[in-house]
Amino acid sequence: MSNRGSEPESEQSPDMPPPVELPEELVEGADRSINIGGEPTTGGRTSAFAGAEPETYVAVLVTESTSDSAEFQPLYEESFVLLTAHSEEEAHEKAREYGKQQEISYHNEHQQLVTWRLKHVVEVKRVEDATFDDGSELYSRFFRNYARYRSFEPTLEGEEP
């Protein structure tokens, strides 16, 4: 899970507005798990896909930070999330629910209100090897234009394989 909603390392100045508090249901567990469907809980809904054994999927989500401040520069996050579901459709629905539950607003160190929102569920794909041993492949994709890929992936500058 990203740390985009974490508090700054330095002390908060007295004139800075306090950070926006997360709802209790998002911080109650030590592992920060979020209920995005699956097994019914008290007061929850039953999955429309109940029956067969669930499979493991990986979802690729893109979130975007925005602010009303003129000098704010948007930031985007691409995240890969593991889900269990009975079908690709259910996995896509769970990915969207997960992305929506990750949305947050807070004041940054410049007192700007920053809001992170789900921009797009890019892809949902069944994990072929769900053994999760060393070397298990979680996700892959093909592309033809390495220059474009390199243009948005700053960690590739100057690195050798």
Side-chain angles (χ1 to χ4, degrees):
M1 184 171 176
S2 71
N3 62 356
R4 64 178 176 246
S6 64
E7 294 185 24
E9 290 181 21
S10 62
E11 282 190 29
Q12 185 173 346
S13 67
D15 58 333
M16 179 183 269
V20 175
E21 293 294 321
L22 290 172
E24 254 183 62
E25 62 269 14
L26 296 182
V27 293
E28 66 186 34
D31 65 355
R32 309 253 321 167
S33 294
I34 295 175
N35 184 358
I36 53 173
E39 296 302 316
T41 57
T42 306
R45 61 188 170 126
T46 308
S47 172
F49 304 97
E53 219 25 60
E55 296 185 280
T56 304
Y57 291 82
V58 63
V60 182
L61 288 79
V62 173
T63 53
E64 174 184 34
S65 68
T66 59
S67 178
D68 290 339
S69 175
E71 66 271 2
F72 183 82
Q73 294 185 359
L75 184 63
Y76 300 89
E77 179 183 33
E78 179 182 50
S79 60
F80 298 78
V81 179
L82 286 176
L83 305 164
T84 56
H86 294 92
S87 70
E88 189 171 322
E89 294 80 21
E90 180 187 14
H92 196 277
E93 178 184 322
K94 288 177 78 172
R96 187 180 170 291
E97 286 179 32
Y98 175 85
K100 294 303 248 176
Q101 289 181 21
Q102 294 299 303
E103 292 180 347
I104 185 172
S105 293
Y106 60 91
H107 289 92
N108 68 11
E109 65 275 9
H110 303 291
Q111 300 181 19
Q112 299 165 325
L113 180 63
V114 177
T115 300
W116 283 91
R117 297 270 184 248
L118 175 64
K119 187 154 182 77
H120 195 74
V121 176
V122 177
E123 185 173 18
V124 174
K125 192 173 177 183
R126 191 169 64 82
V127 174
E128 297 297 326
D129 180 9
T131 60
F132 305 115
D133 295 324
D134 281 351
S136 293
E137 184 173 283
L138 297 180
Y139 176 78
S140 68
R141 62 180 164 188
F142 297 95
F143 54 92
R144 296 193 183 276
N145 191 329
Y146 183 71
R148 279 191 180 168
Y149 178 78
R150 189 174 177 183
S151 73
F152 78 86
E153 183 51 64
T155 62
L156 294 177
E157 286 301 314
E159 282 192 24
E160 295 293 320

